[in-house]
Amino acid sequence: MANLIKYEIIGRYKSVAMLIIISVLANLLLLIRPFNWPDTGLFVISILIAVVVSVVLFIWSISIFSQDIYDDKGYLTFTLPKSGYSIIASKLIVTCIFYIIIEIISVLSMYYYGSRLGDIGKALDTSGIRINVGACILIILWSVLIGTALNFIKIYFAITITRLSILKKKLGKFMAFVSYVILSIIYGIITWGLEKIFPQDFYIKLFTSVSGSIGTLQSGNTDVITKGFPVNTANFVFSIILCVVLFIATSYLVEKKIDL
């Protein structure tokens, strides 16, 4: 699978590198305060840059897999002496790597401009709050990995099952979009139901210490500052199981059922 990952990186790195350069230059441009924008404006623009870059990477990553399924490029990809599991895994791994790089740049930029709003650092020190930087980084990376992997495996599955239908190239891409929407709606309903049936949460500690006089930050009945960020246990487990199931199903269909 290492060769497949290398192949995926070689095929994508130029476009991703260009996207990264654009993101970095756009954020560096904010340092000169164009149009004399205030700190609030710079922070908002940094968020906008992050969103645009993520959306471009998202659309572009979908198009890569779509070309493998619907276009002649698939003859090269799927006739390799590799299993469907290796092919799908390599695509997910490379996509997650690129997303992590983009997210790190975006988070650092938003943190820099956000920290200048009202001198947040001094406000936290005055309140006796110490941010658990390691935990925050792990949360970001974990959310990117799980969120990106689950979202893309749903997309891959939707595209793959429409390639099996009699419609194929005529309405395949449109039906793939419809299938993805339906799958996302079903996923949303199930997670909503699980949260109602199994309300148990576990908490991710965002702060290493809390002292002094602070106002409570409420999330439902949960104090995010003192207890941590709540994550529903049932939804967390279900998301991982669904990701594994869709990965296995997509890999099997790609290897055994797609007629190129």
Side-chain angles (χ1 to χ4, degrees), residues 191-238:
T191 54
W192 176 82
L194 287 174
E195 190 169 348
K196 295 296 181 182
I197 298 173
F198 305 103
Q200 294 81 7
D201 296 330
F202 66 89
Y203 297 92
I204 301 175
K205 198 72 174 177
L206 300 178
F207 306 98
T208 56
S209 64
V210 178
S211 61
S213 177
I214 61 174
T216 58
L217 177 61
Q218 296 292 330
S219 176
N221 294 322
T222 303
D223 191 335
V224 176
I225 292 180
T226 57
K227 289 186 177 181
F229 185 80
V231 178
N232 182 263
T233 305
N235 283 341
F236 179 78
V237 174
F238 172 69

Side-chain angles (χ1 to χ4, degrees), residues 1-251:
M1 188 171 68
N3 288 332
L4 284 175
I5 294 175
K6 180 181 178 181
Y7 168 77
E8 289 288 336
I9 292 176
I10 292 175
R12 304 189 196 187
Y13 83 94
K14 289 183 179 179
S15 299
V16 175
M18 184 178 298
L19 193 61
I20 292 173
I21 292 173
I22 292 174
S23 176
V24 172
L25 291 178
N27 280 288
L28 289 177
L29 182 62
L30 297 180
L31 293 175
I32 66 175
R33 289 180 172 271
F35 308 108
N36 293 319
W37 283 332
D39 289 336
T40 303
L42 298 178
F43 178 65
V44 172
I45 296 299
S46 68
I47 294 176
L48 180 61
I49 293 172
V51 172
V52 171
V53 171
S54 296
V55 170
V56 171
L57 181 59
F58 177 76
I59 296 174
W60 181 69
S61 297
I62 294 175
S63 68
I64 294 296
F65 186 77
S66 179
Q67 290 172 8
D68 285 336
I69 294 295
Y70 292 111
D71 300 336
D72 293 337
K73 185 175 178 290
Y75 287 97
L76 174 61
T77 302
F78 297 118
T79 54
L80 293 172
K82 300 292 183 180
S83 67
Y85 299 101
S86 297
I87 293 173
I88 299 299
S90 63
K91 291 182 179 296
L92 284 176
I93 290 172
V94 172
T95 299
C96 287
I97 290 174
F98 289 149
Y99 257 93
I100 288 175
I101 295 174
I102 292 293
E103 291 300 323
I104 289 176
I105 295 173
S106 299
V107 169
L108 289 176
S109 299
M110 289 186 293
Y111 174 78
Y112 173 76
Y113 294 111
S115 64
R116 296 166 57 174
L117 299 177
D119 207 347
I120 293 178
K122 290 184 179 179
L124 292 176
D125 288 339
T126 302
S127 301
I129 300 175
R130 298 292 182 273
I131 298 176
N132 189 347
V133 178
C136 291
I137 293 175
L138 288 176
I139 291 170
I140 294 171
L141 293 178
W142 181 255
S143 62
V144 170
L145 287 174
I146 295 298
T148 301
L150 178 57
N151 202 31
F152 272 97
I153 199 61
K154 287 192 295 184
I155 294 171
Y156 291 175
F157 179 75
I159 293 175
T160 302
I161 60 175
T162 55
R163 181 62 173 82
L164 303 176
S165 69
I166 60 174
L167 299 175
K168 291 187 177 180
K169 294 185 179 180
K170 292 182 179 180
L171 293 176
K173 294 182 179 180
F174 173 74
M175 293 305 297
F177 172 75
V178 173
S179 300
Y180 171 72
V181 171
I182 293 174
L183 186 60
S184 297
I185 291 174
I186 294 174
Y187 172 75
I189 293 174
I190 293 176
T191 54
W192 176 82
L194 287 174
E195 190 169 348
K196 295 296 181 182
I197 298 173
F198 305 103
Q200 294 81 7
D201 296 330
F202 66 89
Y203 297 92
I204 301 175
K205 198 72 174 177
L206 300 178
F207 306 98
T208 56
S209 64
V210 178
S211 61
S213 177
I214 61 174
T216 58
L217 177 61
Q218 296 292 330
S219 176
N221 294 322
T222 303
D223 191 335
V224 176
I225 292 180
T226 57
K227 289 186 177 181
F229 185 80
V231 178
N232 182 263
T233 305
N235 283 341
F236 179 78
V237 174
F238 172 69
S239 296
I240 295 178
I241 293 175
L242 179 63
C243 189
V244 173
V245 170
L246 291 180
F247 171 77
I248 294 174
T250 305
S251 302

